[in-house]
Structures are given as C-alpha cells and as structure tokens.
C-alpha cells in the first residue's frame, strides 16, 4: 500500500508538472504586448462606438510620446519601462523623414535610426504603438521633419500634391512603410493605429493632399485604423473620410470637444496631443506647465471616458542641428534641450508630474503597476581643458571644395553633398570690396551672420539688425559673412520659404555684392574627423574667433550621464568623440547641455568646440541640469 501511494504521488506530481508546463506555454502564447491575454488579432482597434475596443474587447488608450531620434539607442528600453511603470499602455512615435533620408538617394535606418529595432523593443516591453510616419511630423524639428533638399526646387510646394513633392514622398514611403507593415496589430505586432500626416487642418493648402497620403499608406499595406490630429486652429478643416479625428490641446477646451462629438458621433474621443509642457527658444525663458494643472486636465479627460496621449512623455534632446524654430510673433530658434517639462526629464529622471500621473493612472489599470526602474547615475567629471586652437580660416581647406558664383546662393542649392545642397550648419560667403559705407542685409540673411573685413569682426546681421557700417578703405579687402542656419520653422504657412544662407542681394551703398567664393561648413562627422589633420596651435597663443578648440575629457570606469556647462563662452557647437551634442548660447535660457553616458568612452574622450566670439578654454561637467529661468505656461 505504501509503495502504491508513493507511485501515485509521483504520478500526481508528473501530471501537475505537465499541466503547469502546458498552462505556462498557453499563457506565453496568448500573452499580448499589453501584458494581458492576447485578444482576437483579426479585430484591430475598434472606433465604432463611444469607446475604443481592441480585438473586440473594451480598450482605453493611455499613451505617451517618445522619440527614438532624440535619445541614445541604449536608453530606448529604459524610457519605455518607465512609461509602462507610470501606467501607460501605448507609445506614440513620430518618424523623421529628414533624418532617414538626408540625401535624395540615401536612406538611413541603422543604429539610432533603426525604427524596426525600436518597435521590437516596444513589443518586448509590452506597449502598443501609434505610428506617425508623416511625411510631415512637426515635432519641433527643423522644417517639421521634411528634408531640406526638397527646397532645391524653386517651385516646391510642401505638403501638397505638387508633383515634385509627391514623387519624393512616394520614394520615401517605398522604403519606410514596408519596414513597419509587419509590426501591425493584425500581423501580431504592436502598432494599433497610424496617423495620416499631422495637423493638416491648420495648413490646408491642398484639398487632395490628405487623400493622397491615406491612399499612399494603404496601397503599401497599412491596414490598421487611421487617425488625423489637429488643434483648435485646424480641427474643423482637418478631417478625412475613413480616418478618426483626434484633438490636440493643453487645457480643457469644451467647445472643441463638443464640436468633435458633433461631427464624429458614436466614436471614441482621443486627445492625441495633451501638451505636458512647451519647447523653449533661445533668448527666452524655460517654459513650465505646473504639475497640478496637468494632472487636473488628465483627470478630467479620463473622467469623461476619453483616451489620451501625453506629448511629450519624455522629450529628450535636439542633438546636432535638428531643432526647429518658431515663426510667430517673430523668428525664434529652439534650444538644444527638448526636456519639454515632460513627466520624464531630458535625462530620464522622474519628476513630480511623473509621480502624480502614476498615482492617478494606477486607478485606471486593472493590474498592479510595475516597479519603477532605477534612475541612472549622473557624474560630475573633472573640467576638460581645451588646450588647442584652430581658427575658422585655417579650417577652410578641410571643408567642401569652395564654390564660386557671381550671385549669392542659398544653402540648399549649393553644389555639395552629391547634389543635395547643404542642410545644416554654417556657410561662409566671401567677396572683395574696395570701399566702406552702409552694408544692408535686405532681410536676405537666414538666420544670423557674423561679418568680417579682412578677418576682423565688424558686426552681426540677424532678424532685427539689418544694417552695418563697413570701415572706410580704398584698397581691395575681403568681406566675409559667416551665416548660420539657426533652425528652419517647423510649423505654419511659411514652410515653403525656409531656404537658408544668403537668399537674395546684400547691398553695399545700395549696390548688390557680386562674385562670391562660398564655403559649406555643415560640420558633419566627416568634417570633424578631417580636422584631426589640421595645424592646431596651442591656446597660449592668443586665439582668433571664430575658431575650433580641442581638449580631452577623462572618464574613469563606466561612463555616466553628465551635463556640460560653458561659462565664459559665447555661442557655438560642441562635439564629443565626433558626435554633435548640440548648440550652446549665453543668450539662454539653457545653461547646460546633456551629455549621455553612451556617447562617452571609458578613458580618454575628445572634445571639440566651435566658438564664435569668446572662450574660457575649459568645460565644466556637472551632475544636474540647468534649463534656465522658469516661466509658467
């Protein structure tokens, strides 16, 4: 009897083990990206009642925006896990055409631009995805994410059915859309919706354009629900048959919600962009949307049964020259930080907004929220001494071959970069003068120019300063204008007029200047590497400006995030190990640049600074950000 009991006991354990294993396999098989039992994949996001459904089951979108191109690839998962721990179930991501196709025939989907890898991470973390492929995305990017080479066509009409624009969009979509089609919900992926363009209602130059974009997506295999997205200004003109209208706002606008419910009855309401803060412009203040005000809006939206997407949940950084600019009430370029006063800071740290959101959203989640991931260590490194100097003039042999032209030529139409022109950075225009007098820009400087006579600085042209005095002199002298593209406007009806450099005549004593030698200083990684061969000099010799300064940062052990401060410097760009970290400017508000640990090496790191006017010869590295003086929205 005892032997029989033992045998039965073993059999019972064996059966229990098999049942447990079978349950585990079934659980893993039916587990969906949102961490729950997978629902019917033949039924995508449903929009035919007052509430969303997904796979036939009730569903509320609790989303947040996150841009893979504004943070290191090594941090994608960290930011997504923090999103999940806050109680969100959906990630909204924009796709920047300008970064993926920097030249007409060149496409980049590697490294930090690997959209497929990003979508894989989202699925593994357990987040649904709303994809915003553009072609125009806005996103406070230079030209709203449209590539600058489009502007080489003098007749170009962006965001219309103009043949040149349509041909370019088709070429881009032919590369992009096949990469994301397999990630759709009905194919087992995380994408539950796709947005058709962005905020077209406030642009609305072409009544056929949105239909073209919709068809372009669908004929390439997009099958999930389509959305449009507009704010108060464009809500009435932004609709598209066969696409769900969604709303953008910062504070509750009951009239817009009523209008949306009236023109789109028996449909769920999604606030596609609930702005958690605002971008900052150089020369202004750091904008803050108080946490209590944000939470009050979120609470009211959810109380009404609506869905929501937080723009931004995590902003990140405008590395390089990707920042956009504001056109109204006057031109203002955006700063390097895209912190946005979001729930997760620029460096991925938790904020009071995050904690209040997590508390609120926990009441709308049926499951206990995951533990909050740890915060990454920030390091206060020893200051880097920039001990070598290279003047701008000595760096010119390492640029593109200079171009000679009787007339000034704008950046985009320069014969560089395989016929794609210059997208970003600086352009140097030089000509010969034989007299002094009044030099007028005629508003043809885009956006800011340092002016020199025989390499001696005489003044600056910008949007408010349109005239300079040139010293008298009858001998031949070289007049140089170093023009910076500070960022193309990213929103509004002025986008067709965003060519940079010198875009028309510059007058000296009412006579147009002619016979230019033009240097393209786009400051690409290749150009920075080429400077290694240049004749650098010790900074013990009085340096000239503008110029490049070189030094070293030593990192002992595993690199950590840090913040670069440049007190005593004026305006310029910082490169670390060839990576363009972004612009700095003592005009503020931003006083420190975020430097992520993945951009650093253990041991020695090269630091190069391009400075326009003044240098302190060292960079400080601190463990906390400084976004400047704050003003509440």
């Amino acid at each position: 009897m005892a032997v029989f009991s033992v045998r039965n006991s073993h059999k019972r354990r064996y059966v229990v083990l098999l049942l447990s294993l079978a349950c585990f396999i079934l659980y893993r098989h039916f587990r969906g990206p949102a961490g729950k039992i997978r629902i019917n994949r033949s039924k995508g996001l449903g929009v035919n009642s007052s509430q969303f459904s997904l796979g036939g089951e009730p569903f509320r979108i609790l989303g947040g925006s996150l841009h893979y191109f504004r943070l290191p690839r090594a941090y994608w998962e960290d930011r997504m896990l923090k999103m999940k721990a806050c109680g969100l179930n959906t990630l909204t991501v924009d796709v920047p055409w300008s970064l993926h196709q920097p030249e007409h025939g060149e496409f980049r989907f590697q490294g930090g631009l690997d959209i497929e890898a990003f979508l894989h991470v989202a699925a593994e973390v357990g987040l649904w995805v709303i994809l915003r492929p553009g072609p125009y995305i806005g996103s406070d990017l230079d030209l709203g994410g449209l590539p600058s080479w489009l502007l080489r066509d003098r007749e170009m009409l962006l965001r219309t059915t103009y043949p040149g624009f349509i041909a370019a969009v088709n070429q881009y979509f032919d590369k992009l859309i096949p990469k994301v089609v397999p990630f759709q919900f009905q194919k087992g992926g995380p994408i539950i919706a796709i947005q058709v363009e962005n905020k077209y209602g406030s642009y609305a130059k072409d009544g056929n354009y949105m239909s073209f974009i919709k068809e372009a997506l669908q004929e390439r295999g997009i099958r999930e629900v389509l959305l449009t997205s507009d704010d108060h200004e464009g809500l009435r003109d932004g609709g598209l048959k066969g696409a769900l209208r969604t709303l953008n706002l910062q504070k509750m606008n009951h009239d817009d919600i009523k209008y949306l419910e009236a023109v789109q009855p028996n449909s769920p309401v999604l606030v596609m962009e609930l702005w958690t803060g605002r971008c900052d412009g150089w020369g202004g203040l750091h904008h803050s949307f108080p946490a209590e005000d944000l939470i009050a809006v979120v609470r009211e939206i959810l109380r009404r049964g609506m869905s929501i997407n937080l723009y931004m949940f995590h902003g990140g950084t405008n590395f390089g020259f990707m920042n956009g600019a504001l056109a109204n009430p006057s031109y203002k370029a955006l700063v390097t930080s895209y912190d946005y006063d979001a729930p997760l800071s620029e460096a991925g740290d938790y904020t009071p907004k995050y904690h209040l959101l997590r508390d609120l959203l926990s009441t709308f989640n049926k499951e206990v929220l995951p533990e909050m991931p740890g915060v990454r260590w920030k390091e206060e490194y020893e200051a880097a001494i920039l001990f070598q100097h290279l003047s701008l003039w000595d760096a010119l042999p390492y640029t593109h071959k200079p171009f000679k032209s009787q007339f000034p030529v704008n950046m985009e139409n320069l014969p560089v970069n395989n016929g794609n022109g210059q997208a970003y950075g600086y352009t140097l225009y030089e000509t010969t003068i034989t007299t002094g007098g009044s030099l007028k820009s005629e508003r043809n400087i885009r956006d800011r120019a340092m002016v020199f006579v025989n390499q001696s600085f005489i003044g600056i042209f910008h949007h408010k300063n349109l005239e300079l005095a040139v010293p008298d002199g009858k001998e031949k002298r070289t007049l140089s204008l170093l023009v910076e593209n500070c960022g193309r406007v990213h929103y509004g009806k002025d986008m067709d007029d965003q060519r940079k450099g010198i875009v028309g005549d510059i007058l000296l004593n009412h006579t147009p200047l002619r016979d230019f030698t033009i240097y393209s200083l786009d400051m690409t990684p290749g150009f920075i590497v080429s400077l290694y061969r240049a004749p650098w000099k010790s900074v013990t010799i009085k340096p000239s400006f503008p110029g490049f300064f070189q030094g070293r940062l030593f990192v002992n052990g595993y690199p950590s995030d840090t913040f670069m401060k440049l007190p005593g410097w004026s305006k310029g760009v910082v490169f670390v190990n060839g990576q363009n970290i972004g612009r700095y400017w003592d005009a503020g508000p931003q006083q420190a640049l975020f430097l992520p640990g993945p951009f650093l090496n253990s041991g020695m790191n090269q630091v190069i600074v391009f400075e326009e006017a003044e240098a302190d010869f060292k960079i400080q590295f601190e463990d906390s950000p400084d976004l400047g003086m704050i003003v509440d929205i």
Side-chain angles (χ1 to χ4, degrees):
M1 188 70 177
V3 173
F4 177 77
S5 297
V6 169
R7 286 176 179 172
N8 279 348
S9 176
H10 281 300
K11 287 180 181 178
R12 283 196 299 272
R13 290 176 184 174
Y14 183 67
V15 171
V16 169
L17 180 61
L18 286 176
L19 288 173
S20 299
L21 182 59
C23 289
F24 177 75
I25 292 172
L26 287 170
Y27 176 72
R28 291 296 297 237
H29 177 73
F30 289 104
R31 190 175 173 84
K36 299 178 181 179
I37 300 300
R38 182 176 296 169
I39 42 188
N40 186 351
R41 284 281 178 173
S42 65
K43 296 181 179 180
L45 191 66
V47 297
N48 297 318
S49 68
S50 61
Q51 296 294 324
F52 285 108
S53 62
L54 189 63
E57 299 294 327
F59 181 70
R60 187 201 294 260
I61 295 172
L62 300 174
S65 289
L66 177 71
H67 293 158
Y68 57 93
F69 50 90
R70 279 186 162 123
L71 69 156
R73 177 170 176 163
Y75 288 171
W76 290 351
E77 184 178 28
D78 173 76
R79 305 309 193 251
M80 290 184 200
L81 289 170
K82 289 171 179 173
M83 180 179 286
K84 184 86 171 172
C86 193
L88 301 184
N89 57 28
T90 303
L91 180 157
T92 297
V93 59
D94 297 359
V95 183
W97 182 6
S98 55
L99 300 183
H100 286 295
Q101 194 181 1
E103 296 183 6
H104 192 268
E106 178 190 356
F107 293 90
R108 296 180 182 174
F109 290 98
Q110 307 85 27
L113 293 174
D114 191 338
I115 180 67
E116 294 167 287
F118 183 81
L119 294 172
H120 271 299
V121 175
E124 290 170 1
V125 167
L127 290 168
W128 302 113
V129 173
I130 296 175
L131 187 74
R132 309 211 295 183
Y136 165 85
I137 59 173
S139 303
D140 302 317
L141 289 175
D142 183 285
L143 205 61
L146 298 176
S148 64
W149 48 260
L150 291 168
L151 298 176
R152 290 177 63 82
D153 180 350
R154 293 292 182 183
E155 306 300 320
M156 177 58 66
L157 295 173
L158 302 173
R159 305 178 72 190
T160 70
T161 51
Y162 174 73
F165 187 70
I166 291 305
V169 170
N170 280 326
Q171 184 189 53
Y172 172 53
F173 274 6
D174 281 345
K175 293 290 185 180
L176 171 66
I177 302 306
K179 292 182 180 295
V180 300
V181 161
F183 290 91
Q184 294 180 97
F185 176 84
Q186 294 173 70
K187 291 181 176 291
I191 296 176
I192 58 174
I194 293 89
Q195 184 173 301
V196 182
E197 240 261 359
N198 191 38
K199 300 187 182 79
Y200 198 72
S202 58
Y203 197 71
K205 284 191 173 184
D206 187 331
N208 298 317
Y209 175 67
M210 289 289 278
S211 295
F212 160 73
I213 297 298
K214 174 189 171 185
E215 291 168 9
L217 294 170
Q218 290 178 330
E219 69 186 13
R220 288 170 175 82
I222 293 298
R223 297 290 179 265
E224 303 301 333
V225 92
L226 299 177
L227 311 171
T228 62
S229 174
D230 287 284
D231 53 22
H232 173 80
E233 180 185 357
L235 184 61
R236 284 155 181 79
D237 297 322
L240 175 70
K241 185 177 180 180
L244 181 75
R245 296 185 189 217
T246 69
L247 177 64
N248 304 330
L249 54 81
Q250 185 152 61
K251 299 178 182 179
M252 288 298 293
N253 188 322
H254 299 288
D255 290 340
D256 282 348
I257 294 172
K258 288 179 181 178
Y259 173 80
L260 191 59
E261 291 174 335
V263 299
Q264 194 170 257
N266 301 316
S267 297
V269 175
L270 167 61
V271 178
M272 172 54 76
E273 291 186 9
L274 173 60
W275 303 314
T276 59
R278 189 184 297 173
C279 53
D280 299 333
W282 289 115
L285 298 173
H286 173 51
H287 294 90
S288 172
F289 186 35
E292 297 77 9
D293 293 350
L294 174 66
I295 298 305
V297 177
V298 174
R299 183 181 292 111
E300 176 66 10
I301 288 172
L302 298 182
R303 185 189 68 80
R304 287 169 169 260
M306 300 189 297
S307 286
I308 193 170
N309 180 71
L310 302 168
Y311 185 99
M312 297 290 296
F313 178 77
H314 170 61
T317 308
N318 289 317
F319 295 115
F321 298 122
M322 73 169 71
N323 65 276
L326 303 170
N328 296 312
S330 61
Y331 177 87
K332 187 182 289 289
L334 302 187
V335 304
T336 299
S337 171
Y338 200 63
D339 177 88
Y340 210 83
D341 196 36
L344 274 185
S345 75
E346 180 179 12
D349 294 334
Y350 301 115
T351 68
K353 283 183 182 176
Y354 182 97
H355 294 291
L356 290 173
L357 276 170
R358 177 178 158 91
D359 290 343
L360 175 61
L361 296 178
S362 66
T363 64
F364 290 88
N365 279 267
K366 296 179 180 179
E367 299 178 355
V368 177
L369 297 184
E371 291 293 323
M372 293 164 53
V375 173
R376 294 182 178 271
W377 177 258
K378 313 297 185 299
E379 187 67 56
E380 185 175 335
Y381 292 111
E382 186 175 342
I385 307 301
L386 278 69
F387 56 91
Q388 288 185 304
H389 169 257
L390 180 70
S391 76
L392 169 69
W393 321 106
D394 289 337
L396 293 180
Y398 302 91
T399 67
H400 298 274
K401 182 180 178 181
F403 170 62
K404 294 186 181 298
S405 172
Q406 182 182 2
F407 302 94
V409 178
N410 58 285
M411 283 186 177
E412 295 80 4
N413 286 94
L414 291 174
V416 296
N417 296 318
N418 302 312
N420 289 274
Q422 180 179 344
Y424 310 113
Y426 296 76
T427 307
L428 180 67
Y429 297 82
E430 292 192 332
T431 188
T432 300
I433 59 173
T434 56
T435 184
S438 174
L439 187 68
K440 295 184 178 180
S441 70
E442 299 293 287
R443 300 189 182 277
N444 288 324
I445 297 292
R446 308 286 175 83
D447 299 298
R448 186 176 184 272
M450 302 182 71
V451 185
F452 306 83
V453 174
N454 285 350
Q455 301 180 10
S456 293
F457 175 70
I458 65 168
I460 293 176
F461 280 132
H462 52 70
H463 287 267
K464 295 181 180 179
N465 187 40
L466 308 178
E467 185 174 3
L468 292 173
V470 176
D472 290 333
K474 295 183 179 180
E475 74 283 2
K476 287 186 176 181
R477 296 174 296 167
T478 299
L479 177 72
S480 306
L481 297 98
L482 180 64
V483 185
E484 179 190 7
N485 165 12
C486 296
R488 295 180 182 86
V489 167
H490 60 263
Y491 178 76
K493 298 185 183 293
D494 299 328
M495 291 187 60
D496 293 334
D497 187 29
Q498 291 304 306
R499 293 170 182 86
K500 298 298 183 179
I502 298 181
V503 299
D505 284 335
I506 307 298
L507 307 182
L508 178 59
N509 299 327
H510 307 292
T511 301
L513 297 175
R514 292 292 182 260
D515 298 321
F516 290 91
T517 300
I518 307 173
Y519 297 85
S520 174
L521 284 151
D522 45 12
M523 299 197 183
T524 61
F527 168 71
I528 297 301
V529 169
S530 74
L531 292 184
Y532 300 164
R533 309 189 306 271
W536 293 83
K537 299 175 182 177
S538 170
V539 293
T540 55
I541 302 171
K542 186 176 180 180
S544 64
F545 295 94
F548 296 87
F549 295 82
Q550 183 175 201
R552 300 286 186 271
L553 165 65
F554 182 75
V555 172
N556 186 16
Y558 189 81
S560 299
D561 295 346
T562 189
F563 298 89
M564 295 185 291
K565 277 196 170 182
L566 294 95
W569 299 74
S570 173
K571 184 180 188 301
V573 189
V574 181
F575 304 85
V576 177
N577 296 327
Q579 170 80 39
N580 188 334
I581 303 303
R583 311 177 216 243
Y584 64 90
W585 193 359
D586 60 7
Q590 183 176 3
Q591 300 296 322
L593 298 179
F594 177 54
L595 175 56
F599 290 176
L600 294 170
N601 303 318
S602 179
M604 207 63 73
N605 295 267
Q606 182 198 58
V607 180
I608 291 180
V609 176
F610 175 70
E611 165 60 45
E612 295 184 6
E614 182 183 5
D616 185 50
F617 312 131
K618 67 175 180 290
I619 298 179
Q620 299 173 6
F621 298 90
E622 302 191 355
D623 58 5
S624 59
D626 186 349
L627 297 173
M629 294 183 62
I630 295 175
V631 59
D632 283 348
I633 298 171

